[in-house]
Amino acid sequence: MPHNPHAPHPPHLMPAAAQPALAYEELATRLGRRGLLRIAAGLAAAGGSVAASAHPATAASGSSKVSAVSRPQRILQPGIGPVHGHHYLRATPDTVRWGYVPARDAEPVLRLRSGETLTVDAVSHEGLLEDQGRDPIAWFAEHGVRKDQVLKDAVALARDYTRTPRSFDTDGPHVVLGPVHVEGAEPGDVLKVETLSLLPRVPYGVISSRHGKGALASTRSGGAPDGITLDEVMPPVAEDGRATGSPEQYGNVSVFTPIRSRGADDHAILPLDGPGQVTFPLNPHMGLMGTAYAGATSLTDPLLNSIPPTLGGGNIDIRHLGEGSTFYLPVHAEGALFHTGDPHFAMGNGEVALTALEGSLRTTFRLTVCKPGSGDAPSVAFHYPFGETDDAWLPVGLSDPDGSGGSGGAAGQLSDLDTAMRRAVVNALDFLQSDLGITRPVAYAYLSAAADFEVSQVVDRTTGVHAVIRKRDFGR
């Protein structure tokens, strides 16, 4: 039901919710901007327990999208600000898996009915990781961010997470929320994930490049990968301090990037070594959305590492999957066991340096179960992740979709992008033939003449390619 702005707030939230909205403004001023992040709906205090709760939806349950009518005027600490979903999931040491996704038999942290909406407080890993000192207050202070302007849930996770031991060299970086059990989902179904709103929780992000990772990384043996020389490796080989064994001495590069308003839009401001700056627009989206795919013997089984995407989705890193998009995921476990993380403020196709512009987001999804034969999901989605926007269909191809490590998929940056490309083409052909009724030769001709195939990312061990098929070409 719609949120009532005149309803009394829970007593334990009254002081924080009633405070003047100064913290966000002060930080924005400190970073040199006048306006604030614009993609939000009106302010309201969120209720609920520490981990998860039901919450009245700001948007009507039948709406496909939350309208962007105003900007959050504060940092979106847990429990503060707009919550658009029926359910609200906070990031706590008990509701996240740091660096790993849930297995098929994982215990859910929340249960909901098909078609209900869920708001999550997604936390970026940047500023929390071991090479940054695992102390977000101290790390962000080096960039002019006061203690009260750092997210409290990020601080608590860096300090209190003990579910699994952390190994910087082995574990994934992502703070993964969930899993969430969706009633009625069974293996063989599809989980339809609609992204309804994405609210930046802070007016700053981070872009990182780490040794041994990224498009221009050195090989495990220390040499240069095919196509470049050692002098062209990034970050430069001479700055590689991994031999020290101390992540803070690895020589990794993290670039603090504030967000500022330019006219009616918000832009990232990338500092330069000399005078001037580079600006680029925001494109908030979740990099990681998945259903439980693998069976595993432990919480840190390599098959559960959060870095490589799989047939369950996961760290898919497709920049088009922002507000108003739909992501269809094959279901491999009872309840689907949806999980999410890796919030992005912006990302270029390829994500070549290793990370996007990473920044924490409050994201609202609608989760709906689609049954075989219902016509509610593309046919390809029953066996492979598939994206959709208002303007396009997005068939996906992955180089190592089952996580087996074939074709070099387990060897860092050796995963074969050609394999991902071929699979994206096949999935696009299957979609055009099965769902739109186009003969396969004609569909192949169309893809060659009119569709775009984009590199999703080349840095997640398993590389990704997605097709962009324009709906208007088919009168849609």
Side-chain angles (χ1 to χ4, degrees):
M1 65 180 180
H3 176 68
N4 178 4
H6 302 294
H9 299 300
H12 68 286
L13 288 181
M14 278 292 290
Q19 288 173 358
L22 293 178
Y24 206 102
E25 292 284 3
E26 289 174 1
L27 180 56
T29 299
R30 195 178 182 87
L31 296 176
R33 64 176 295 200
R34 298 176 182 229
L36 291 174
L37 302 170
R38 66 184 176 87
I39 43 179
L43 295 173
S49 63
V50 170
S53 67
H55 191 281
T58 303
S61 60
S63 171
S64 64
K65 190 173 179 179
V66 174
S67 296
V69 297
S70 63
R71 304 170 182 175
Q73 297 298 301
R74 63 188 72 190
I75 289 175
L76 296 183
Q77 296 286 5
I80 301 299
V83 172
H84 296 143
H86 290 100
H87 299 269
Y88 177 35
L89 181 61
R90 308 188 193 193
T92 74
D94 295 325
T95 63
V96 307
R97 296 159 190 260
W98 194 350
Y100 294 87
V101 299
R104 292 195 303 265
D105 61 353
E107 185 68 24
V109 299
L110 179 66
R111 294 174 180 267
L112 52 78
R113 294 189 296 272
S114 175
E116 289 189 321
T117 53
L118 167 69
T119 296
V120 301
D121 272 347
V123 175
S124 171
H125 52 272
E126 293 296 333
L128 283 68
L129 290 173
E130 289 77 9
D131 64 338
Q132 296 162 332
R134 196 164 165 173
D135 183 347
I137 291 176
W139 195 85
F140 284 115
E142 297 175 3
H143 303 280
V145 181
R146 294 202 316 263
K147 178 179 178 180
D148 63 337
Q149 298 162 344
V150 178
L151 292 173
K152 295 178 181 178
D153 42 3
V155 174
L157 288 169
R159 182 189 62 223
D160 301 332
Y161 182 83
T162 58
R163 171 177 283 185
T164 56
R166 281 287 303 166
S167 170
F168 181 75
D169 293 323
T170 303
D171 300 339
H174 311 106
V175 176
V176 181
L177 273 155
V180 173
H181 181 282
V182 183
E183 185 177 316
E186 301 173 317
D189 294 342
V190 163
L191 185 67
K192 180 181 180 181
V193 181
E194 297 170 88
T195 299
L196 304 183
S197 66
L198 295 143
L199 309 182
R201 301 181 63 196
V202 291
Y204 53 83
V206 180
I207 310 167
S208 289
S209 177
R210 295 183 165 96
H211 289 281
K213 302 175 181 179
L216 301 181
S218 60
T219 64
R220 288 187 175 180
S221 64
D226 293 343
I228 66 172
T229 68
L230 275 179
D231 289 339
E232 295 169 319
V233 165
M234 289 290 290
V237 172
E239 300 171 10
D240 189 347
R242 285 178 290 171
T244 66
S246 173
E248 290 184 81
Q249 305 301 315
Y250 279 14
N252 297 334
V253 178
S254 293
V255 181
F256 180 81
T257 307
I259 308 302
R260 299 176 186 164
S261 290
R262 295 189 66 200
D265 297 320
D266 296 297
H267 284 66
I269 308 299
L270 190 64
L272 301 179
D273 293 334
Q277 60 191 20
V278 175
T279 66
F280 54 90
L282 300 189
N283 173 36
H285 61 283
M286 297 299 293
L288 191 157
M289 296 176 283
T291 54
Y293 172 67
T297 57
S298 70
L299 294 178
T300 57
D301 190 301
L303 290 175
L304 302 180
N305 192 288
S306 67
I307 295 174
T310 67
L311 291 178
N315 189 32
I316 203 76
D317 282 334
I318 296 178
R319 67 187 304 272
H320 300 286
L321 297 179
E323 184 175 306
S325 70
T326 301
F327 194 34
Y328 300 93
L329 293 166
V331 173
H332 299 275
E334 183 179 355
L337 300 183
F338 174 73
H339 49 276
T340 189
D342 193 26
H344 295 164
F345 283 179
M347 191 189 90
N349 285 326
E351 200 183 21
V352 295
L354 176 64
T355 82
L357 175 55
E358 311 285 328
S360 298
L361 292 168
R362 177 168 294 170
T363 303
T364 299
F365 303 101
R366 178 180 289 109
L367 304 178
T368 305
V369 178
C370 303
K371 294 292 183 179
S374 66
D376 294 333
S379 58
V380 175
F382 287 90
H383 65 271
Y384 221 99
F386 189 101
E388 182 177 3
T389 69
D390 289 343
D391 302 320
W393 294 292
L394 309 172
V396 177
L398 300 172
S399 62
D400 185 25
D402 61 0
S404 66
S407 299
Q413 307 307 314
L414 300 181
S415 192
D416 186 1
L417 193 59
D418 289 345
T419 300
M421 176 67 183
R422 294 186 193 104
R423 179 48 53 188
V425 173
V426 169
N427 287 342
L429 285 172
D430 288 346
F431 169 71
L432 292 173
Q433 182 178 25
S434 298
D435 294 60
L436 300 188
I438 302 173
T439 63
R440 208 167 184 86
V442 172
Y444 201 28
Y446 165 78
L447 292 176
S448 189
D452 291 320
F453 285 82
E454 301 177 346
V455 177
S456 311
Q457 51 72 30
V458 295
V459 297
D460 291 338
R461 300 181 187 170
T462 294
T463 55
V465 171
H466 58 269
V468 180
I469 300 174
R470 292 183 299 270
K471 292 181 178 180
R472 68 174 182 266
D473 293 353
F474 303 87
R476 303 298 178 93

